[in-house]
């Protein structure tokens, strides 16, 4: 409405390029949850493989799913899936609830 | 053989008699020629009957045994009795065995009397899917998570697109560059949002009078994370739109100002470096300036507040108070306070003239794309603020006050870090000395070594002399 009265505020000669904010100076802005989930996933899948605990392997799968979306890190995802598969190959019994 | 036959006859008679005793219903016809027929009856009979037997049987049992041995050769007539006795004795013996066998037991023959107990087949041997219920639960949970991820991501994407569609015209009429990811060689508008991740979208606009550039961040809720969704059911949170306008030096005078919800102001005063240093007073209620009670103001000086709170600004704030989280104008903006690891950092943080707006999207999480239109007036307010601050200048007194404030802050900072800077200087000097000594040590040529040592000594001497001179001068001055 008032644009016709005012001069055009745009200035093509005053363009600055976008600089992604430096996250090193502000580590608090980053969300640490996916990193923790990744680590937890690795730990649980190791436990599941070594101690042959099925529920450990399942929790590892969940953790890696949660962190997978944010980090796109496939290593822990594949590790947890292999933990689940190995647990079932070694012991085809169905999982009993831990209580 | 005759004896055997007689025995049988006698037993039959006895069996009949015993049957009367035990059980009137028993039929003699049931007996076979089998010698043990009557014993079958005895063993099958319930405990009750056998237990009744012990007293009457126990007594005569001892005597017939002795009698049998003595009267083994007695004639038939007597033999009948004897046989009877013997038979009775046999019966007694068997009954006794029965009694002895089952003494102390309530039931005599559990395997005949009790029902069969069915043991459960172990789970892994069953061929049913039901035993895998935990696994099915787990897989269902995973599927639910994936479904939620897809749905949440799509919703965030739709909200972002709706926001951009409603704001596109305003932005394109104000900025030469709308949308830039920083990677392309030429500065051309991409005309679309940058997706940083599933819940954060960026937009960089530049090429306008009165400002360097504007970064808009759409900070949506993490709808793609099921855990977050569940957490939000306990504690509702809003989507937020954050607008950060960076200014050139000539675009803004030197002052620090903030207005927003009371909670946000209290939090920012503690968190933000510049607000904590320059706006020491508690947040003032907005009612004094004609804006709703729910908003409060942090300001470096009264003149600034009066200058910012003109009628149009008051109108904007009053009509959209629910959507405003915080508005922060500052020439000393350096972000939140940095957590120190070891004491203060050695130099002041870098500052930039910045306007920071944080808006809450209405709907408290249950937003629909239509709600994005209601944020458009707020963007108008942003543009208005940019233009206004270019013209807002402090008077002479205000400027002096502002300069004094900034000098004071810098001095405080230097004082706090003085000790640390001294320490740092000391360590640097020691490092230099050590490096020199090492060089001298490593020098292979003994002559050169000696010469370097002498040079170092001379330098030390000079320094000492200088220090002594200084001390003398100070003493003289003091006197």
């Amino acid at each position: 409405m008032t644009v016709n009265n005012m001069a055009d505020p745009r200035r093509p000669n005053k363009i600055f390029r976008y600089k992604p904010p430096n996250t090193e100076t502000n580590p608090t802005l980053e969300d640490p949850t996916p990193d923790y989930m990744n680590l937890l996933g690795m730990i649980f899948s190791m436990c599941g493989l070594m101690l042959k605990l099925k529920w450990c392997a399942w929790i590892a799968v969940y953790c890696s799913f949660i962190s997978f979306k944010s980090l796109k890190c496939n290593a822990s995802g594949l590790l947890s899936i292999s933990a689940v598969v190995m647990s079932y190959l070694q012991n085809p019994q169905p999982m009993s609830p831990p209580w | 053989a005759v004896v055997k036959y007689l025995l049988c006859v006698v037993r039959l008679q006895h069996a009949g008699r015993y049957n009367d005793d035990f059980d009137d219903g028993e039929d003699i016809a049931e007996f076979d020629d089998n010698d043990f027929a009557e014993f079958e009856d005895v063993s099958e009979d319930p405990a009750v009957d056998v237990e009744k037997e012990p007293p009457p049987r126990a007594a005569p049992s001892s005597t017939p045994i002795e009698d049998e041995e003595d009267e083994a050769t007695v004639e038939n007539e007597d033999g009948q009795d004897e046989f009877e006795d013997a038979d009775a004795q046999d019966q007694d013996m068997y009954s006794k065995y029965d009694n002895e066998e089952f003494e102390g037991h309530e039931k005599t023959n559990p395997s005949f009397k009790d029902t069969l107990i069915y043991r459960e087949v172990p789970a892994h041997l069953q061929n049913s899917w039901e035993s895998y219920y935990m696994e099915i639960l787990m897989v269902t949970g995973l599927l639910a998570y994936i479904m939620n991820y897809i749905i949440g991501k799509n919703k965030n994407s739709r909200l972002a697109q709706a926001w951009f569609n409603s704001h596109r015209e305003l932005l394109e009429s104000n900025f030469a560059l709308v949308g830039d990811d920083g990677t392309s060689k030429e500065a051309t508008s991409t005309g679309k949002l940058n997706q940083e991740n599933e819940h954060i979208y960026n937009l960089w606009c530049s090429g306008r009078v009165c400002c360097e550039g504007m970064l808009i961040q759409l900070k949506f809720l993490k709808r793609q994370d099921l855990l977050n969704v569940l957490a939000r059911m306990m504690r509702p949170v809003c989507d937020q739109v954050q607008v950060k306008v960076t200014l050139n030096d000539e675009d803004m005078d030197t002052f620090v100002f903030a207005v927003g919800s009371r909670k946000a102001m209290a939090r920012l005063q503690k968190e933000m470096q510049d607000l904590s240093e320059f706006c020491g007073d508690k947040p003032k209620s907005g009612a004094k300036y004609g804006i709703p009670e729910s908003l409060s103001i942090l300001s470096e000086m009264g003149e600034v507040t009066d200058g910012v709170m003109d009628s149009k600004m008051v109108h904007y704030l009053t009509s959209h108070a629910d959507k405003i989280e915080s508005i922060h104008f500052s020439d000393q903006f350096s972000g939140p306070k940095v957590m120190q690891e070891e004491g203060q950092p050695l130099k002041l943080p870098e500052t930039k003239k910045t306007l920071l707006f944080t808006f809450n999207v209405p709907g408290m999480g249950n937003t629909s794309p239509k709600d994005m239109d209601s944020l458009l007036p707020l963007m108008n307010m942003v543009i208005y603020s940019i233009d206004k601050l270019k013209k807002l200048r402090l008077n002479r007194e205000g400027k002096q006050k502002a300069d004094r404030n900034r000098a004071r802050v810098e001095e405080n900072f230097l004082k706090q870090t003085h000790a640390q800077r001294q320490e740092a200087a000391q360590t640097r000097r020691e490092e230099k000395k050590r490096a020199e000594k090492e060089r001298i040590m490593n020098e292979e040529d003994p002559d050169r070594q000696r010469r370097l040592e002498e040079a170092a000594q001379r330098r030390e001497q000079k320094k000492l002399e200088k220090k002594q001179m200084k001390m003398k001068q100070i003493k003289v001055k003091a006197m």
Side-chain angles (χ1 to χ4, degrees):
Chain A
M1 289 140 349
T2 50
V3 172
N4 296 331
N5 300 341
M6 284 161 50
D8 187 5
R10 290 176 289 181
R11 295 288 180 273
N13 55 337
K14 283 183 78 180
I15 286 180
F16 289 83
R17 294 303 302 276
Y18 172 61
K19 270 191 297 260
N22 191 359
T23 48
E24 286 170 11
T25 52
N26 290 338
T28 49
L29 290 180
E30 286 181 28
D31 185 15
T33 311
D35 292 326
Y36 288 146
M37 282 293 153
N38 213 9
L39 184 64
L40 265 180
M42 294 241 178
I43 292 173
F44 272 115
S45 52
M46 278 293 148
C47 279
L49 273 173
M50 301 296 172
L51 307 174
K52 300 198 178 62
L53 295 171
K54 287 202 180 72
W55 54 269
C56 269
W58 280 108
I59 293 174
V61 172
Y62 271 98
C63 286
S64 65
F65 251 84
I66 293 170
S67 66
F68 169 78
K69 311 304 179 193
S70 331
L71 293 181
K72 309 280 183 229
C73 173
N74 286 325
S76 69
L78 289 175
L79 186 61
S80 59
I81 292 174
S82 69
V84 169
V85 167
M86 288 306 292
S87 306
Y88 279 93
L89 282 177
Q90 290 166 355
N91 191 7
Q93 273 191 38
M95 187 166 67
S96 60
W99 50 86
Chain B
V2 173
V3 168
K4 220 180 175 182
Y5 173 73
L6 279 170
L7 266 172
C8 279
V9 167
V10 163
R11 277 174 201 163
L12 278 172
Q13 286 178 354
H14 271 285
R17 188 151 49 97
Y18 288 150
N19 275 343
D20 289 336
D21 286 337
F22 297 165
D23 185 354
D24 290 331
E26 286 276 331
D27 219 348
I28 298 175
E30 283 183 25
F31 287 73
D32 307 335
D33 279 347
N34 193 347
D35 282 358
F36 300 105
E38 57 202 2
F39 302 130
E40 276 176 28
D41 283 333
V42 169
S43 57
E44 278 169 13
D45 277 336
V48 179
D49 295 307
V50 178
E51 276 173 8
K52 272 196 236 157
E53 295 305 303
R57 292 285 165 237
S61 63
S62 49
T63 38
I65 294 171
E66 288 158 20
D67 287 342
E68 188 182 65
E69 286 173 6
D70 291 337
E71 300 168 355
T73 53
V74 167
E75 286 177 348
N76 282 350
E77 286 178 6
D78 292 328
Q80 252 197 9
D81 291 332
E82 282 166 17
F83 285 137
E84 282 186 16
D85 285 338
D87 194 33
Q89 172 213 317
D90 281 340
Q91 282 279 2
D92 290 342
M93 275 168 67
Y94 279 108
S95 335
K96 191 171 62 156
Y97 288 156
D98 282 347
N99 294 337
E100 281 175 2
E101 194 177 343
F102 300 115
E103 237 169 41
H105 288 257
E106 297 274 291
K107 298 181 186 170
T108 44
N109 287 312
S111 53
F112 290 131
K113 171 90 196 241
D114 292 338
T115 52
L116 291 172
I117 300 171
Y118 291 96
R119 297 283 168 208
E120 270 188 32
V121 179
H124 65 287
L125 297 175
Q126 289 178 27
N127 279 333
S128 76
W129 288 110
E130 288 169 1
S131 55
Y132 285 91
Y133 69 96
M134 283 295 286
E135 280 77 8
I136 292 171
L137 255 155
M138 288 292 188
V139 172
T140 315
L142 273 177
L143 284 175
Y145 191 88
I146 294 172
M147 289 285 293
N148 176 262
Y149 174 79
I150 294 171
I151 293 172
K153 192 166 87 121
N154 282 342
K155 172 109 193 245
N156 279 348
S157 173
R158 273 184 296 131
L159 287 174
Q161 207 49 49
W163 180 91
F164 189 54
N165 288 338
S166 71
H167 286 72
R168 183 198 296 262
E169 204 181 307
L170 175 66
L171 293 172
E172 281 178 352
S173 64
N174 271 292
F175 291 92
L177 175 73
V178 174
D180 182 21
D181 56 4
T183 55
S184 57
K185 270 214 215 133
E186 301 231 342
T188 47
S189 297
T190 59
K192 53 188 174 91
L193 300 160
N194 274 353
Q195 184 176 3
E196 208 176 283
N197 55 38
E198 282 88 5
H199 63 285
I200 297 184
Y201 291 80
N202 288 340
L203 185 71
W204 171 255
C205 305
S206 185
R208 192 188 192 276
V209 287
C210 311
C211 72
E212 219 178 70
M214 177 166 81
L215 179 65
I216 304 173
Q217 267 198 328
L218 303 175
K219 291 186 176 165
F220 292 125
L221 304 168
K222 284 193 189 173
R223 291 186 174 83
Q224 76 277 8
D225 182 12
L226 189 59
L227 290 179
N228 206 283
V229 168
L230 296 172
R232 268 188 296 119
M233 288 184 184
M234 317 285 173
R235 206 165 47 96
V237 189
C238 274
D239 299 299
Q240 281 191 337
V241 175
Q242 198 178 68
V243 181
K244 185 170 171 183
V245 185
T246 39
L247 305 168
N248 296 315
D249 275 339
E250 67 271 14
D251 296 326
M252 182 179 161
D253 207 349
T254 54
F255 61 86
V256 176
F257 174 83
V259 60
S261 70
R262 264 176 298 169
K263 252 191 179 173
M265 285 299 103
R267 185 174 43 90
L268 286 181
Q269 192 175 32
K270 274 186 255 165
E271 278 180 8
M272 287 296 180
Q273 178 84 15
D274 51 350
L275 286 175
S276 62
E277 283 173 352
F278 292 95
C279 305
D281 300 330
K282 268 175 50 170
K284 292 197 189 75
S285 166
K288 290 189 201 142
Y289 293 91
I291 57 176
E293 262 283 329
S294 57
L295 299 175
S296 48
I297 297 173
L298 278 172
S299 175
E300 195 178 346
M301 55 189 104
E303 187 195 335
V304 170
T305 319
D306 293 330
V308 171
M309 288 294 168
D310 63 355
S311 54
K312 201 153 181 200
M313 201 65 166
V314 168
H315 172 74
Y316 273 124
L317 289 172
T318 315
S319 45
H320 304 286
D322 57 332
K323 297 195 262 290
I324 293 172
E325 170 85 0
S326 70
I327 297 175
H328 181 184
F329 303 154
S330 173
D331 73 311
Q332 299 281 317
F333 183 80
S334 60
K337 281 190 195 168
V338 180
M339 282 299 116
Q340 335 284 9
E341 296 103 29
E342 294 176 352
Q344 313 271 357
L346 290 181
K347 45 181 203 131
L348 276 169
E350 290 215 8
T351 62
K352 183 95 180 124
K353 294 195 177 180
T354 308
L355 313 180
L356 190 58
F357 300 81
T358 307
F359 302 130
N360 293 328
V361 177
M364 204 58 159
N366 295 328
T367 357
S368 71
K370 292 194 297 291
D371 293 329
M372 293 301 173
D373 291 336
S374 60
L375 295 172
L376 193 56
L378 294 169
M379 194 54 70
N380 281 322
M381 180 176 74
V382 171
I383 304 287
Y384 173 75
S385 306
I386 296 173
D387 289 330
K388 182 193 171 58
L389 289 194
K390 174 83 181 198
K391 291 178 284 198
L392 180 66
R393 300 286 151 188
L394 300 169
N395 61 19
R396 199 163 51 98
E397 213 180 280
K399 191 86 178 93
Q400 280 179 350
K401 212 172 167 189
D403 289 339
R404 268 204 304 264
N405 282 342
R406 275 144 194 75
R408 170 181 52 86
V409 166
E410 200 176 328
E411 207 182 305
N412 282 344
F413 181 80
L414 288 175
K415 267 194 209 159
Q416 281 174 346
T417 57
H418 179 71
Q420 260 182 300
R421 274 184 292 120
Q422 262 199 339
E423 228 184 276
Q426 181 79 2
T427 39
R428 256 178 295 157
R429 259 181 275 145
E430 279 177 14
E431 275 294 323
K432 258 198 207 163
K433 264 198 205 161
R434 227 180 298 143
E436 235 190 270
K437 278 207 182 120
E438 248 191 76
R439 229 185 322 133
I440 294 175
M441 289 300 173
N442 291 340
E443 198 56 60
E444 292 188 352
D445 190 2
D447 274 338
R448 280 189 75 177
Q449 203 179 50
R450 220 183 322 122
R451 255 182 285 147
L452 280 169
E453 263 188 53
E454 281 173 12
Q457 262 187 4
R458 254 179 281 142
R459 251 177 282 152
E460 283 282 337
Q461 195 77 0
K462 268 195 195 161
K463 270 194 197 157
L464 269 170
E465 279 173 18
K466 256 196 193 170
K467 250 192 175 172
Q468 282 173 356
M469 284 292 287
K470 256 192 180 173
M471 295 301 284
K472 276 190 191 158
Q473 275 180 4
I474 290 170
K475 276 189 186 159
V476 166
K477 270 193 187 168
M479 287 193 332

